[in-house]
Amino acid sequence: MTRRTLAVVSAGLSQPSSTRLLADQLAAATRDELVRRGAEVRLDVVELREHAHDVVNHLLTGFPSASLRTALDAVAGADGVIAVTPIFSASYSGLFKSFFDVLDSGALAGTPVLVGATGGTARHSLALEHAVRPLFGYLRAVVVPTGVYAAGADWSGDTADGALRDRILHAGAELAEQVDRRPASVGPADPFALTTDFAQLLGGGREE
Amino acid sequence: MQFGVFTVGDVTVDPTTGREPTERERIKAMVAIALKAEEVGLDVFATGEHHNPPFVPSSPTTMLGYIAARTERLLLSTATTLITTNDPVKIAEDYAMLQHLADGRVDLMMGRGNTGPVYPWFGQDIRNGIPLAIENYDLLRRLWREDVVDWKGRFRTPLQSFTSTPRPLDGVPPFVWHGSIRSPEIAEQAAYYGDGFFANHIFWPKEHTQRMVGLYRQRFAHYGHGTPEQAIVGLGGQVFMRKNSQDAMREFRPYFDNAPVYGHGPSLEDFSRETPLTVGSPQQVIDRTLGFREYVGDYQRQLFLLDHAGLPLKTVLEQLDILGEEVVPVLRREFDSLRRAQVPEAPTHAALVAARDAAAAGTGAPR
């Protein structure tokens, strides 16, 4: 049985938070589909609120605290990532962006990512497509076609089987498929690994 | 083992008084710190090199030459010499001159420097940082070791029949360390030449140092310079001491909280846990410093940063007194008793001359 790891990043600030609720439902949908495909799945949830001060400290000092390092490694080493942010002022929240700013460059290259967002009303829904999706495009992640936006009204339906539910299941299946078709992640890259040797370094700087 | 101080040379407002030293005051303070280092029995003084405010030490050999004239024993070094933006020809000339004036009490630490805008002021580009460090240093070595050099490279005009003067003292170039926080290529460079490797070891978690030193040791052995344990390692460290640790914390906290590098970020407590910064009693500094050996192995040089973030000169000189009287004598004794037998001392000029002569006698080669 293949072992798979999903990192679930939630930038919700209140507790309980609808952002976390959406992240959990997306994670469950993805996990269920991967299990159906025969994988064993571990979920690593990263609540950014718990790392807020450490994220800012990393921006200032250039290195992460031990607990933030664990969170960054979980994301960099995951087979798939679910990233959910509240929409603030027409875009992702500053905390959400700052977390991905301090992630090592290249950490998400080729990693399947499912993006989600929450907001008070449906008027903000396209921020997911115009702000969140390009961010992960820049990070060279493989963003699945379906992004999931949930407004306040989506949580107040009489049943749990509305349009949002369908969209969550659809997106989760897309992420599961992307994860399933790739070899298992070998973990985060080692920044201290020597990838060259001196003959190559010296040769590179010399005109023959 | 060698102990000493290294200074960045920043001009920073004292946050407790709001007073900013003049450049002259700061430069004279750096000299006073060097003289005090010799007086209290330390071995090394190393100055940074910077070419932008708020830093003053743009001309290290001017400062080190002046200090050389006023000291007898102190080893003069840099932290770091910018191998990327300085012309290697000028480095070869300046430090050979300093070597003669200081009777061999000179070594250097190469570094790349860290801010993009500085590079173009000297005709370079930060994106070439590593290739510049590699090519320039390779040329520098030749200029010190070959009387007449013909050379062509990527980053400077070619040299035809060039002789760098003065020739190194006794025909032996200064020993060189290479400093880097997290570029494995620089550890590889130091290992390739059998030079020293210096880990900044301030402002960063110890894991950076551990990984870089581990890589350097392994590659040092790979290139046939000795066992991994025989590689030449130096570490930085940052301390602030008072008799009682609570007094040290109270006095240092405003400087920490407003410091240029990490100020307004993590708490003093967090930063002390996550980096080698030690603020406390002399005994705490002794214990922490002895602990460095546990993750880098036996090493040859320990430099402390004492004078940044606006600390007044009087306070820094008090720190040097504590270091010289209470801390370094204990560290010398303890490190000496712990050191494994095959581990060499950091090379000095006299030792390098002796090694050169012994090698020449052994092979019968002409001197």
Side-chain angles (χ1 to χ4, degrees):
Chain A
M1 186 178 278
T2 323
R3 299 169 66 90
R4 298 293 192 172
T5 305
L6 297 174
V8 185
V9 179
S10 169
L13 295 179
S14 59
Q15 286 177 324
S17 115
S18 59
T19 301
R20 174 63 190 271
L21 181 61
L22 177 59
D24 285 345
Q25 293 193 3
L26 291 168
T30 310
R31 181 195 58 209
D32 291 350
E33 177 60 19
L34 280 168
V35 168
R36 197 186 66 72
R37 289 165 176 257
E40 188 181 317
V41 179
R42 193 182 81 209
L43 298 177
D44 285 335
V45 178
V46 177
E47 270 282 10
L48 292 187
R49 189 182 206 287
E50 294 166 8
H51 300 287
H53 283 269
D54 284 351
V55 166
V56 173
N57 286 345
H58 188 174
L59 289 169
L60 297 176
T61 63
F63 70 88
S65 67
S67 73
L68 178 59
R69 175 86 269 161
T70 304
L72 291 167
D73 284 349
V75 173
D79 292 297
V81 174
I82 293 159
V84 189
T85 177
I87 298 300
F88 287 177
S89 305
S91 185
Y92 33 66
S93 76
L95 176 59
F96 182 86
K97 175 64 160 53
S98 293
F99 178 77
F100 288 99
D101 284 345
V102 298
L103 191 65
D104 291 335
S105 72
L108 286 184
T111 302
V113 172
L114 163 52
V115 293
T118 59
T121 74
R123 274 195 292 275
H124 306 286
S125 62
L126 282 175
L128 188 60
E129 302 302 327
H130 290 292
V132 184
R133 188 179 292 276
L135 168 64
F136 288 94
Y138 171 79
L139 297 172
R140 291 183 288 135
V142 177
V143 190
V144 300
T146 305
V148 181
Y149 179 88
D154 288 305
W155 305 111
S156 58
D158 291 337
T159 72
D161 299 329
L164 175 63
R165 185 77 202 144
D166 287 346
R167 207 164 164 81
I168 287 169
L169 293 175
H170 194 76
E174 286 177 358
L175 180 62
E177 190 194 341
Q178 289 297 325
V179 168
D180 192 35
R181 60 161 74 154
R182 285 173 168 73
S185 168
V186 292
D190 177 2
F192 295 100
L194 182 69
T195 54
T196 179
D197 70 6
F198 199 74
Q200 217 176 346
L201 287 171
L202 198 57
R206 224 171 225 180
E207 278 176 20
E208 296 302 332
Chain B
M1 184 157 167
Q2 297 171 339
F3 294 89
V5 289
F6 64 145
T7 175
V8 184
D10 56 317
V11 176
T12 303
V13 174
D14 181 336
T16 66
T17 61
R19 191 176 177 283
E20 183 177 273
T22 64
E23 288 181 320
R24 180 176 184 277
E25 284 171 336
R26 185 66 174 107
I27 290 164
K28 295 284 188 175
M30 290 170 74
V31 171
I33 289 165
L35 302 185
K36 184 76 172 179
E38 173 159 290
E39 180 198 319
V40 302
L42 302 190
D43 310 302
V44 184
F45 171 82
T47 176
E49 178 187 332
H50 297 275
H51 298 275
N52 48 347
F55 306 103
V56 290
S58 56
S59 181
T61 53
T62 309
M63 173 175 279
L64 295 177
Y66 179 79
I67 294 169
R70 299 187 58 190
T71 51
E72 298 290 330
R73 212 181 37 76
L74 194 64
L75 216 156
L76 307 167
S77 189
T78 57
T80 58
T81 293
L82 303 176
I83 188 61
T84 46
T85 49
N86 281 309
D87 181 357
V89 169
K90 197 74 176 86
I91 298 178
E93 294 171 342
D94 282 347
Y95 286 87
M97 175 67 94
L98 180 63
Q99 218 192 2
H100 284 276
L101 291 171
D103 301 314
R105 290 185 285 131
V106 174
D107 62 29
L108 294 82
M109 189 199 302
M110 299 300 167
R112 277 172 292 149
N114 55 13
T115 49
V118 177
Y119 282 71
W121 298 334
F122 296 89
Q124 301 299 349
D125 181 334
I126 195 170
R127 289 169 296 180
N128 293 328
I130 297 269
L132 277 163
I134 302 291
E135 177 177 299
N136 285 350
Y137 182 63
D138 197 59
L139 172 57
L140 174 61
R141 283 182 66 88
R142 289 188 57 194
L143 294 169
W144 276 338
R145 284 166 175 78
E146 298 171 28
D147 287 341
V148 181
V149 171
D150 289 307
W151 179 89
K152 186 167 179 287
R154 216 178 124 190
F155 296 114
R156 111 181 270 300
T157 49
L159 297 169
Q160 279 186 50
S161 301
F162 178 75
T163 298
S164 172
T165 62
R167 302 304 300 145
L169 178 65
D170 303 319
V172 172
F175 185 70
V176 169
W177 307 75
H178 299 264
S180 178
I181 295 163
R182 54 183 167 186
S183 298
E185 295 92 337
I186 299 302
E188 170 76 357
Q189 181 187 31
Y192 176 82
Y193 292 110
D195 292 342
F197 180 75
F198 187 90
N200 155 294
H201 204 232
I202 52 172
F203 310 156
W204 303 91
K206 73 172 201 292
E207 286 72 20
H208 282 48
T209 298
Q210 191 172 10
R211 293 297 309 277
M212 292 291 284
V213 172
L215 173 65
Y216 160 66
R217 287 188 185 283
Q218 178 207 329
R219 299 298 288 174
F220 181 91
H222 169 84
Y223 287 114
H225 301 295
T227 66
E229 294 73 28
Q230 290 170 330
I232 306 296
V233 174
L235 296 188
Q238 190 190 5
V239 298
F240 186 86
M241 297 163 287
R242 289 298 180 201
K243 195 174 183 358
N244 300 310
S245 55
Q246 287 311 310
D247 293 337
M249 292 288 271
R250 191 178 315 114
E251 186 176 344
F252 189 66
R253 191 180 300 278
Y255 296 95
F256 177 88
D257 286 345
N258 295 287
V261 179
Y262 43 72
H264 311 286
S267 68
L268 174 55
E269 287 77 3
D270 285 348
F271 204 71
S272 299
R273 191 177 57 248
E274 284 162 5
T275 77
L277 170 65
T278 308
V279 180
S281 67
Q283 189 58 47
Q284 283 174 299
V285 168
I286 290 168
D287 292 344
R288 189 91 184 268
T289 307
L290 287 171
F292 297 165
R293 184 183 167 277
E294 285 161 26
Y295 55 86
V296 299
D298 289 316
Y299 64 107
Q300 284 79 5
R301 175 176 286 185
Q302 174 66 54
L303 300 183
F304 292 104
L305 173 67
L306 300 176
D307 70 331
H308 89 137
L311 282 162
L313 177 61
K314 178 172 172 292
T315 306
V316 176
L317 296 180
E318 288 164 5
Q319 294 296 306
L320 276 158
D321 275 327
I322 301 172
L323 207 55
E325 285 164 22
E326 300 177 48
V327 174
V328 166
V330 181
L331 290 176
R332 276 192 208 284
R333 200 169 58 236
E334 294 292 319
F335 276 121
D336 279 348
S337 70
L338 292 165
R339 185 179 304 110
R340 278 162 295 179
Q342 311 307 322
V343 176
E345 292 282 343
T348 59
H349 181 72
L352 291 170
V353 169
R356 190 268 318 264
D357 291 349
T363 60
R367 292 257 324 262

